[in-house]
């Protein structure tokens, strides 16, 4: 029986090693930071992340209200404060600030959205301000489709 | 014209590293690289100031401001519609023409009467289009709405 060439053994060993490393990374990501995406964000220098970052309310009629809930998580070891917010439309209520987030903790931030005839394709940004020097803002987005007024 | 164009492109150029390596962008803190890569705000008209700041307002108050639209090109530009990202901001006049190398003022008026409970920062987009629907200018109006003095703020 022919033995596999040396390069094939080396490749197989490398792939196995990479697979094990990836598995360890994913497990550690879930254990320490909640998800691999959060781990990647942490490695990229981010200390606060939002989930979801884009909230799609689907469809709604003009005059309807929707509530978008974003979970903002503090990946760092010290308290972070959401100091304020900014939108492009008064149709999104920002709530009250400041909002502190404990180390490795999270808060749910709710935004009430009133649908108007301004844009049938609703797409509005929400910018949250933090007290983090290296991450002063956190971008969120609300999207959906606005239909004609509900028939009475 | 070269100056304003170059200055508007420079913020984009500064983000080039994130764009070049989009595949590994999340690892490098460029998670929203695609979001940051907004198309350059080039149009036939240049809106100044950019942004226009209306400052801080008490809830229920209105505020006015003026965006100056400059046509630095050799052709007249006709703006047939102006849209804003918020019903709270209206503009006047609704349509107008600016001759070559001329400028015109666009009045903007903020009124939060429809959303009296709104508090916080606003960064409102103002976009003008021509008859074909092509965007001919983009502007931005910033302001902050504060709780009116003596009024208990509601969450």
């Amino acid at each position: 029986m022919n033995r596999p060439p040396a390069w094939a053994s080396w490749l197989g060993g490398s792939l196995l090693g990479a697979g094990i490393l990836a598995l360890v990374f994913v497990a550690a990501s879930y254990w320490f930071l909640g998800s691999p995406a959060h781990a990647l964000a942490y490695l990229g220098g981010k200390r606060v992340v939002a989930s979801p970052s884009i909230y799609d309310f689907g469809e709604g009629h003009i005059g309807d209200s929707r509530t978008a809930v974003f979970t903002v998580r503090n990946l760092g070891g010290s308290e972070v404060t959401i100091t304020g917010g900014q939108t492009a439309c008064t149709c999104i209520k920002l709530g009250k600030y400041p909002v502190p987030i404990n180390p490795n903790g999270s808060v749910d931030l709710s935004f009430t959205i009133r649908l108007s005839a301004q844009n049938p394709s609703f797409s509005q940004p929400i910018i949250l301000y933090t007290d983090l020097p290296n991450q002063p803002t956190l971008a969120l987005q609300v999207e959906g489709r606005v239909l004609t007024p509900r028939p009475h | 014209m070269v100056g304003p164009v170059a200055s508007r492109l420079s913020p984009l150029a500064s983000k080039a590293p994130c764009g070049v390596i989009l595949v590994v962008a999340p690892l490098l803190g460029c998670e929203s690289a695609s979001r940051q890569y907004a198309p350059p705000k080039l149009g036939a008209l240049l809106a100044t100031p950019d942004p226009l700041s209306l400052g801080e307002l008490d809830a229920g108050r209105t505020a006015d401001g003026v965006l100056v639209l400059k046509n630095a090109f050799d052709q007249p530009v006709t703006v047939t519609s102006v849209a804003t990202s918020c019903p709270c901001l209206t503009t006047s006049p609704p349509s107008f023409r600016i001759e070559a190398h001329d400028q015109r003022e666009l009045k903007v008026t903020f009124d939060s009467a429809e959303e009296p409970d709104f508090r916080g920062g606003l960064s409102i987009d103002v976009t003008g289009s021509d008859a074909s629907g092509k965007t001919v200018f983009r502007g931005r109006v910033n302001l902050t709405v504060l709780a009116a003095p003596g009024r208990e703020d509601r969450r």
Side-chain angles (χ1 to χ4, degrees):
Chain A
M1 193 171 70
N2 290 338
R3 292 180 58 190
W7 64 266
S9 301
W10 177 85
L11 185 64
S14 298
L15 287 174
L16 186 66
I20 291 171
L21 276 177
L23 212 59
V24 169
F25 174 77
V26 170
S29 300
Y30 276 108
W31 182 263
F32 291 108
L33 296 169
S35 76
H38 289 172
L40 289 174
Y42 186 88
L43 290 173
K46 295 189 185 305
R47 293 298 175 266
V48 281
V49 292
S51 179
S53 58
I54 300 174
Y55 181 91
D56 190 333
F57 62 77
E59 291 182 344
H61 292 271
I62 293 171
D64 286 356
S65 288
R66 293 285 185 274
T67 302
V69 180
F70 295 88
T71 300
V72 180
R73 184 173 177 136
N74 176 5
L75 304 176
S78 52
E79 184 178 283
V80 173
T81 301
I82 305 295
T83 57
Q86 183 184 70
T87 72
C89 178
T90 53
C91 54
I92 300 178
K93 299 288 184 303
L94 284 168
K96 205 169 182 179
Y97 299 95
V99 176
I101 311 175
N102 291 328
N104 302 306
S106 63
V107 295
D108 286 344
L109 296 180
S110 299
F111 301 90
T112 305
I113 304 145
R114 206 166 67 85
L115 307 186
S116 70
Q118 193 75 2
N119 285 309
S121 180
F122 190 99
S123 179
Q124 295 279 2
I126 301 172
I127 305 295
L128 297 178
Y129 298 117
T130 79
D131 61 350
L132 291 169
N134 295 328
Q135 193 187 349
T137 59
L138 180 64
L140 313 174
Q141 185 90 8
V142 179
E143 294 181 353
R145 285 204 319 125
V146 181
L147 309 175
T148 51
R150 201 178 289 280
H152 291 288
Chain B
M1 188 58 202
V2 173
V5 171
S7 67
R8 282 175 167 236
L9 285 173
S10 60
L12 202 67
S14 68
K15 292 181 172 65
C18 289
V20 170
I21 41 180
L22 277 175
V23 175
V24 291
L27 287 170
L28 300 170
C30 306
E31 182 199 6
S32 55
S34 57
R35 194 186 300 275
Q36 291 171 353
Y37 260 82
K41 298 193 296 180
L42 294 176
L45 305 174
L46 186 69
T48 56
D50 184 19
L52 167 65
S53 176
L54 298 183
E56 295 183 339
L57 300 176
D58 291 334
R61 293 288 181 92
T62 62
D64 294 330
V66 170
L67 280 172
V68 177
L69 304 173
K70 295 176 184 171
N71 180 3
F73 290 93
D74 296 328
Q75 299 289 327
V77 174
T78 300
V79 178
T80 57
S81 66
V82 181
T84 71
S85 63
C86 182
C88 58
L89 193 81
T90 54
T91 60
S92 175
S95 61
F96 49 90
R97 174 186 167 103
I98 306 180
E99 299 301 327
H101 302 287
D102 200 358
Q103 66 181 41
R104 177 153 194 161
E105 292 185 346
L106 181 72
K107 184 181 176 188
V108 299
T109 303
F110 172 78
D111 184 355
S112 63
E114 281 192 25
E115 304 286 353
D117 294 332
F118 180 87
R119 306 286 181 274
L122 280 167
S123 184
I124 304 167
D125 296 319
V126 182
T127 309
S129 305
D130 64 12
S132 68
K134 181 183 158 195
T135 298
V136 291
F137 76 86
R138 289 179 195 275
R140 190 169 289 253
V141 178
N142 289 351
L143 68 139
T144 302
V145 180
L146 307 172
R151 176 181 162 158
E152 186 67 26
D153 211 357
R154 285 186 285 169
R155 180 160 191 143

